[in-house]
Amino acid sequence: LANDPALPPAAARPEAVRESLTYNDVEIMRALSEESYVYGNLTGLTDKTGLARDLVSTRLGVLKSLGLIETRINDKSILHWYVSPKGKQMLGEILAGQEDR
């Protein structure tokens, strides 16, 4: 079924992307979106979320491939992550959905 060419890829279906996100993914995105922390680096994210560095690193790659976060390199050549407009919209929907429960 997953290889059915008639079905759009998961990235094209927001509900499929949202269902593929883990609790940790939401925590990483929330950490990236908070306060002056618009651009997060890996060390800062592991400190803020309390998640293992390997897990955060892996999930950042997944979130980027889904188009929910983006990267930039600062003037010290350090990679920083931030939530994309698509990611901000999805995070808002997820958090609003949690408040409804």
Side-chain angles (χ1 to χ4, degrees), residues 38-86:
V38 179
Y39 297 102
N41 63 30
L42 186 56
T43 303
L45 279 172
T46 55
D47 290 348
K48 183 154 186 168
T49 60
L51 300 171
R53 184 183 178 94
D54 290 349
L55 174 69
V56 173
S57 181
T58 301
R59 298 315 295 175
L60 286 169
V62 171
L63 293 169
K64 185 173 185 193
S65 71
L66 292 171
L68 300 178
I69 60 173
E70 302 291 333
T71 55
R72 74 179 182 107
I73 306 282
N74 73 3
D75 52 4
K76 296 183 179 111
S77 299
I78 296 173
L79 184 66
H80 285 262
W81 303 86
Y82 63 97
V83 181
S84 69
K86 175 181 173 183

